[in-house]
Amino acid sequence: MIRILSFAVVVLALAAGFAWLADRPGELSLIWQGQRIEMSLMVAATLLASLIAIILIAIWIVRVVWLSPHSISRYFRARKRDRGYQALSTGLIAAGAGDAALARKMTARTRGLISADQEPLIHLLEAQTALIEGKNDDARKKFELMADDPETRELGLRGLYLEAKRLGANEAARQYAERAADKAPHLPWATLATLDYRSQSGHWDEAIKLLDQSRASHVIERHEADRKKAVLLTARAKDKLESDPKGARDDALAALKLSENLIPAGLIAAKALFREDNLRKGASILEKLWKHEPQAEIAKLYVRARSGDSAVDRLKRASKLEAIRPNNAVSLAAVAESALEARELSLARSKAEAAARIQPTEGIFLLLADIEEADTGDDGRIRHWMNQALKSPRDPAWTAEGMTSPEWLPVSPVSGRLDAFEWKMPVAQIAGPVEEHAEETANAAIRSLPPVSAKQQPESVRRTPETIVKVETVKEEPITRTIAVPAPSESVLVPETVVVGTTTVTTSEPKSEKPKAMPRRPEDEDAAPAEPFFGRPPDDPGVREVPSAEKTNFRLF
């Protein structure tokens, strides 16, 4: 555009000059070697302009003829280079697609058209071709050549790092990553890999220093950098907790400032504060974490914050946690456990059963088994809860890449990745509709318990007993018939099982006296079956005495 405007300006200037001369006519006379030459001023200007144009054209023709060999060679060289770059592009695409034959063919063609000194991408094409052909040693040599060239250093180190990771040479991979991070700190892969390796070796100070440098160079986003630094500070505080509680407290509090919901940092900070007898601040940190996400570790540390507290005091602290997060399975389980230690068995049972209805897990059923052992000592009921625990999903735990740990770890033992552990249900138990039928499963487990005996059953749950007969036929489809017979109010239910041939009879009779069987009436056929206190008997009712057949004189059919 500028050249066109410049040409137009020159043409207009010439036209304006000739027009100006035309408006001012004159004569020009020239005497040269005794001859007089006269012409008008317009003719003289035209001849002068023509002479200049002829000279310029002649110079251009001479220049073109003189430089024609070089121009011809440059043309063919550019054409060859273009063909080489086309082959290089095709080869890289073929290598990326996994076409080893075409990649090797394009590599040879590129070598013949372009010099490797002029185009470093030829080394990359050769290395990628060697990789897809399975020639890993040749590919590694190419990457080493690229790592020695300042122009392709980062690309070569990246290739060597990936090859070392593939072969499992973690030490070599660490060295390549650190070398790349030193030469080019702006590379995210080198920075993150070096950060993970330093974290695996426990060099927390060096890892934090590298993370600060990466954040200053905007390699890692601010939110991600704050999270990783909080994890590193928590890991360093964990190592300092036994030897330097004050330093551990400072690091943990600094981690909480960067990530306020980092539970491991809050736990370490609370432990350090409790050792300094600063119970109020430590409890405040735990309460804040509890509001965000209730966890069993938080409850355990909060309840046992003061070592000299009695079981009743720990129950009060657990009740305070329940008040902060009511209707929560973890809160109810914490209260139930503390109530069991305080021998408040009725409260422990009610809270544990409520927790089981909300979230039936292995831990809550094991707690119910402990409560049952302390309350009734009934082996059948205890085995029932243990059986429910075996069939229930596991409790949430610190999980990273399919592996669980009893405590939080800053680095995954599987891949070495920083901040990999999460508090969640193990992967093996996630599959399946666990949460959808949680309440139904817990209610069914609770209803399936048999009634407790007179000595074991609390007064608050005793009912007026009735005689119940349950008949099941083994050979054919089960037939269940229930006959309710009133019994004296002072009697207490005692479940019994009678085996007669292929028929099982389950009875519940008053212990004090045995009522005589009443004849079966027609209206009893349609009567609703009377269920025991918790519904049906458990899967394992325990060891019972088998009474003689004379105790029941019922006509089965």
Side-chain angles (χ1 to χ4, degrees), residues 160-186:
L160 291 173
Y161 168 77
L162 293 177
E163 278 297 294
K165 290 286 289 183
R166 184 184 63 82
L167 296 175
N170 295 326
E171 181 62 24
R174 181 188 64 81
Q175 294 179 4
Y176 291 134
E178 290 185 350
R179 183 179 170 187
D182 293 337
K183 298 295 183 180
H186 58 278

Side-chain angles (χ1 to χ4, degrees), residues 66-323:
W66 182 262
L67 298 177
S68 58
H70 176 70
S71 299
I72 293 173
S73 63
R74 185 176 61 183
Y75 168 75
F76 284 107
R77 187 168 60 250
R79 182 181 178 186
K80 182 180 179 181
R81 184 181 66 248
D82 293 341
R83 290 171 57 199
Y85 277 110
Q86 181 64 37
L88 178 62
S89 175
T90 305
L92 290 174
I93 294 174
D99 190 350
L102 181 58
R104 178 58 64 184
K105 180 181 178 180
M106 292 296 105
T107 300
R109 181 179 297 180
T110 304
R111 274 286 189 178
L113 297 173
I114 306 177
S115 175
D117 297 335
Q118 297 177 355
E119 183 50 64
L121 284 178
I122 296 178
H123 295 301
L124 177 62
L125 177 57
E126 292 177 347
Q128 294 294 330
T129 304
L131 285 176
I132 61 176
E133 288 179 345
K135 301 177 180 178
N136 298 319
D137 294 337
D138 295 341
R140 190 158 51 251
K141 292 178 181 179
K142 290 296 180 182
F143 284 129
E144 289 176 354
L145 292 176
M146 296 170 65
D148 295 334
D149 188 358
E151 190 174 1
T152 59
R153 180 186 294 115
E154 291 80 10
L155 183 58
L157 291 174
R158 171 71 169 172
L160 291 173
Y161 168 77
L162 293 177
E163 278 297 294
K165 290 286 289 183
R166 184 184 63 82
L167 296 175
N170 295 326
E171 181 62 24
R174 181 188 64 81
Q175 294 179 4
Y176 291 134
E178 290 185 350
R179 183 179 170 187
D182 293 337
K183 298 295 183 180
H186 58 278
L187 295 175
W189 70 267
T191 300
L192 294 177
T194 305
L195 184 64
D196 289 340
Y197 284 123
R198 291 181 181 179
S199 301
Q200 292 174 24
S201 58
H203 299 158
W204 310 120
D205 296 334
E206 298 178 3
I208 292 173
K209 181 180 179 181
L210 177 62
L211 186 61
D212 292 337
Q213 294 176 356
S214 303
R215 181 177 179 179
S217 57
H218 302 287
V219 176
I220 304 177
E221 296 182 0
R222 180 178 179 182
H223 177 71
E224 183 180 0
D226 290 343
R227 174 71 182 187
K228 290 184 178 296
K229 187 174 181 180
V231 173
L232 292 173
L233 289 172
T234 304
R236 189 169 68 178
K238 183 180 179 182
D239 292 345
K240 291 181 179 180
L241 184 60
E242 298 297 333
S243 59
D244 186 11
K246 185 177 180 181
R249 178 202 63 192
D250 295 338
D251 287 342
L253 292 177
L256 286 176
K257 290 181 180 179
L258 296 173
S259 181
E260 59 181 7
N261 296 326
L262 186 59
I263 293 178
L267 294 174
I268 294 175
K271 290 179 182 179
L273 290 170
F274 290 158
R275 293 186 181 185
E276 297 176 356
D277 293 333
N278 194 347
L279 299 178
R280 178 175 298 179
K281 187 173 182 180
S284 176
I285 292 174
L286 294 179
E287 289 174 359
K288 185 177 180 181
L289 294 175
W290 185 264
K291 291 178 182 178
H292 172 67
E293 182 182 1
Q295 284 191 11
E297 292 183 349
I298 301 175
K300 183 177 180 181
L301 182 60
Y302 186 86
V303 170
R304 302 180 182 275
R306 188 185 292 109
S307 59
D309 286 348
S310 63
V312 177
D313 295 333
R314 291 196 292 268
L315 177 58
K316 292 179 180 179
R317 296 181 67 85
S319 300
K320 186 176 180 181
L321 289 179
E322 185 189 8

Side-chain angles (χ1 to χ4, degrees), residues 8-20 49:
V9 169
V10 171
V11 172
L12 291 175
L14 291 174
F18 279 103
W20 183 80

Side-chain angles (χ1 to χ4, degrees), residues 48-68:
L48 180 61
S50 300
L51 180 62
I52 293 173
I54 292 172
I55 293 173
L56 293 176
I57 292 173
I59 293 174
W60 177 77
I61 293 174
V62 172
R63 185 174 180 273
V64 168
V65 174
W66 182 262
L67 298 177
S68 58

